[in-house]
Amino acid sequence: PNLASMAQIDVTSVMAEDALADVIADLEKEMETAAASLEFERAAQLRDEINRLQQAGADAEEKAARPRK
């Protein structure tokens, strides 16, 4: 899959924390390339997707850390 399709990834399908970190790193590289190419709208979309993935990952970690009742 190309990075554009990876940006649409559902966090629940990324089970391993390392895999999520890899996806985010790839998106960050793509964002930097877009900004360097003056594709600022694309860079902003990628930034927003990175933020969404980071928040979803943090939410998943928090949920996993909660004691089960």
Side-chain angles (χ1 to χ4, degrees), residues 2-69:
N2 64 29
L3 291 179
S5 66
M6 290 175 68
Q8 302 302 320
I9 198 163
D10 181 0
V11 169
T12 58
S13 68
V14 180
M15 302 308 286
E17 189 175 318
D18 290 342
L20 180 58
D22 289 344
V23 169
I24 290 171
D26 289 342
L27 291 173
E28 287 172 337
K29 289 176 189 173
E30 187 175 347
M31 180 183 68
E32 291 170 7
T33 299
S37 299
L38 305 180
E39 298 175 24
F40 299 120
E41 187 172 320
R42 177 71 180 138
Q45 291 171 340
L46 290 162
R47 177 205 60 214
D48 294 345
E49 184 65 15
I50 291 165
N51 288 339
R52 184 186 75 79
L53 290 171
Q54 289 172 330
Q55 184 60 52
D59 291 347
E61 285 179 18
E62 181 180 320
K63 184 178 178 181
R66 287 187 207 143
R68 295 186 181 206
K69 295 180 183 182

